[in-house]
Amino acid sequence: ATLRMQNLIEDLLTLSRVTRKGKPFERTNLNHCIKEVMSTLEVMIQETNTKVVLSELATLDADASQITQLFQNLFTNTMKFRRPDTAPIIEISGAVMAGNLYQIIVKDNGIGFADTYKERIFAPFERVHGKFKFPGTGIGLAICRRIVERHNGTITAEGSTDHGATFTIVLPIHQ
């Protein structure tokens, strides 16, 4: 209980720091952010036999540390919410959109979620799969949304039970 409370406090601090302690935006290569996440999560990626399929991504104005945190949370969720006896696959692609916008798609083959939860999963402490079945505090996707909103963007999710999840992130190329 003490360890769980400590993790909860740390996650709440992370959530509150997104806007209070954010760094100035600078030209950020999204491919470098993904590579940093893969390096940080290398052991977990190997232990779960996760395959990452990465298309070439853009460079845009962003807080690199927060964008790296965003991708790290999404990667961790994929590996945590994986189907039994199925190696996780994370597919990441991007495309330039009209109006100075860039769309990033992060798709996985995990356990997914019922479509009725697609907004609720971004709320702090919202746990679709129960707090004892999977570890964590239920803050990860709330942090993702806060990061994306700080960057003047949007994040949405689509899911299907036992068929994975797709997160669509739209960010300005130039802030």
Side-chain angles (χ1 to χ4, degrees), residues 4-169:
R4 181 164 163 70
M5 184 57 72
Q6 180 181 354
N7 288 338
L8 182 61
I9 291 168
E10 288 173 8
D11 284 351
L12 283 170
L13 286 171
T14 300
L15 183 64
S16 73
R17 287 183 186 131
V18 169
T19 50
R20 288 186 313 106
K21 300 264 184 169
K23 295 178 184 169
F25 296 154
E26 59 186 12
R27 297 302 291 160
T28 300
N29 185 317
L30 299 177
N31 296 297
H32 294 158
C33 296
I34 298 283
K35 286 183 171 67
E36 187 173 330
V37 168
M38 291 176 63
S39 176
T40 301
L41 299 177
E42 181 178 11
V43 171
M44 189 176 186
I45 289 170
Q46 289 175 354
E47 287 175 349
T48 58
N49 293 316
T50 298
K51 179 181 178 186
V52 178
V53 179
L54 175 63
S55 299
E56 189 68 25
L57 299 177
T59 296
L60 45 86
D61 295 341
D63 177 337
S65 64
Q66 287 187 346
I67 296 298
T68 300
Q69 179 71 53
L70 166 71
F71 287 128
Q72 184 168 323
N73 287 3
L74 294 174
F75 273 48
T76 302
N77 274 3
T78 294
M79 292 181 280
K80 185 189 321 182
F81 299 108
R82 67 184 184 272
R83 288 183 284 151
D85 304 321
T86 302
I89 300 172
I90 305 168
E91 299 176 47
I92 305 152
S93 60
V96 175
M97 300 173 63
N100 183 46
L101 297 175
Y102 190 73
Q103 180 182 63
I104 305 158
I105 306 288
V106 180
K107 182 177 180 178
D108 70 42
N109 67 335
I111 63 172
F113 56 88
D115 200 48
T116 56
Y117 292 110
K118 68 184 183 181
E119 269 306 307
R120 288 180 51 195
I121 61 173
F122 292 107
F125 312 116
E126 187 64 45
R127 300 179 56 89
V128 173
H129 301 290
K131 71 178 184 180
F132 297 111
K133 189 171 182 178
F134 295 97
T137 58
I139 301 273
L141 289 177
I143 291 170
C144 289
R145 174 159 277 171
R146 182 92 37 105
I147 289 169
V148 170
E149 287 174 349
R150 177 175 179 253
H151 285 78
N152 302 307
T154 60
I155 182 170
T156 57
E158 297 292 328
S160 178
T161 305
D162 294 327
H163 292 94
T166 301
F167 292 89
T168 302
I169 303 157

